[in-house]
Amino acid sequence: MEIFDQLNRKFSGNFKESVEYYPEILSEAEIKAKSIYSLGEILNKNASNKTHKEVSIIFNEVFSDITLSIYLSACCMHNASKVLLRRVLELGIATIYFWDLPHKYWGWKNFETYESDLSFKDNIEHLSSSTYSLLLKSEFDIRVWEIEKDKINKVYRSLSNTIHGKYLTLETLSNTSFEFDKEEYKSNLKTIIQSENILISCFKQRFKSEFVELSQHIPALERFNYGY
């Protein structure tokens, strides 16, 4: 257990040092994470069918992953933080995808097959298609639907590089690996907020009435922009 005790002391020390820096950025990340959770609760309360009831629960998982990503980054476990952050984008985008394609949700939930797995690429392609925009306009009177596919894919690819073991993501190459670095910590917090902004900007457009209710419930959210 000695090595784990040493790791615990090391990462606990990093955490105590990290939280002294960038309280404004940390507060923004926390408020946006809480807003995603609260939006899920609102959607669950207003759900008109079983699919929407179940899909809304995924928002809680997204909130949990964001919170853990922030914590791991504060401990200077940045790769682990980024792995969770990629999951945040996958599940967050999937909520909209499943919301309007119920059969995809039930396949994902019930079948352990390649065809039923989440595909971030396919989900983004679908949500950025002209046919999906037409659906939103015709069926839900959503006339503004702007999703910057290239920017989103760039963020997702950057996070994916950590999972796929790209050379630049190897933390142990540096003599200062797992040491607190305030600029690296700041950079990771901004990546977390960028990922939150991607999701919130999409949620605000797709769930218009629920987002109005969310803004009344968490007015602090309106202090921030959602640009990514």
Side-chain angles (χ1 to χ4, degrees):
M1 292 298 296
E2 182 179 351
I3 188 172
F4 295 110
D5 287 338
Q6 291 176 356
L7 284 172
N8 182 53
R9 288 195 295 272
K10 172 66 176 174
F11 294 134
S12 295
N14 288 342
F15 178 83
K16 289 177 182 178
E17 190 169 3
S18 296
V19 294
E20 296 295 323
Y21 291 87
Y22 314 118
E24 297 86 1
I25 302 176
L26 195 60
S27 176
E28 179 179 352
E30 189 274 331
I31 289 170
K32 288 180 175 178
K34 183 180 178 182
S35 297
I36 290 172
Y37 173 83
S38 296
L39 179 60
E41 288 194 316
I42 293 168
L43 289 167
N44 185 271
K45 178 189 67 176
N46 297 340
S48 59
N49 58 63
K50 187 175 181 180
T51 302
H52 289 175
K53 198 81 173 174
E54 293 201 12
V55 170
S56 66
I57 297 172
I58 299 174
F59 284 77
N60 188 26
E61 187 77 8
V62 174
F63 163 77
S64 175
D65 283 350
I66 293 172
T67 303
L68 288 173
S69 181
I70 295 169
Y71 172 76
L72 289 170
S73 187
C75 292
C76 300
M77 291 187 276
H78 299 301
N79 275 354
S81 172
K82 290 174 182 176
V83 169
L84 274 176
L85 202 55
R86 193 183 90 148
R87 191 169 185 261
V88 163
L89 283 182
E90 286 182 336
L91 288 175
I93 290 296
T95 59
I96 301 175
Y97 183 77
F98 289 149
W99 196 267
D100 294 315
L101 292 172
H103 67 292
K104 293 291 187 180
Y105 167 74
W106 293 106
W108 172 72
K109 178 182 178 181
N110 292 287
F111 298 115
E112 189 61 39
T113 63
Y114 177 79
E115 291 75 17
S116 299
D117 286 348
L118 281 180
S119 168
F120 187 81
K121 178 179 181 296
D122 290 348
N123 291 2
I124 286 294
E125 288 292 336
H126 174 77
L127 295 181
S128 61
S129 67
S130 57
T131 53
Y132 182 70
S133 295
L134 184 59
L135 167 70
L136 296 182
K137 180 180 178 181
S138 303
E139 193 73 20
F140 307 109
D141 196 32
I142 297 175
R143 299 182 178 276
V144 177
W145 175 249
E146 297 176 350
I147 180 168
E148 298 187 69
K149 180 179 68 173
D150 292 341
K151 285 187 177 180
I152 294 173
N153 281 331
K154 185 176 180 180
V155 174
Y156 183 77
R157 176 173 173 77
S158 175
L159 296 172
S160 296
N161 285 341
T162 304
I163 291 177
H164 298 313
K166 292 286 187 177
Y167 182 84
L168 290 175
T169 68
L170 301 181
E171 286 190 285
T172 54
L173 291 178
S174 170
N175 292 330
T176 59
S177 59
F178 305 112
E179 297 286 345
F180 174 70
D181 182 302
K182 67 177 184 179
E183 291 306 317
E184 186 175 17
Y185 175 54
K186 182 179 182 180
S187 175
N188 276 280
L189 284 180
K190 287 191 172 182
T191 301
I192 290 168
I193 288 176
Q194 185 179 32
S195 300
E196 291 176 320
N197 286 351
I198 288 171
L199 298 183
I200 292 173
S201 66
C202 292
F203 295 155
K204 183 177 183 179
Q205 295 176 81
R206 178 60 190 88
F207 306 116
K208 287 169 44 177
S209 59
E210 290 83 3
F211 204 90
V212 171
E213 186 176 345
L214 173 67
S215 299
Q216 295 168 349
H217 182 61
I218 306 182
L221 181 62
E222 291 304 302
R223 299 205 315 259
F224 309 109
N225 64 60
Y226 318 124
Y228 54 88

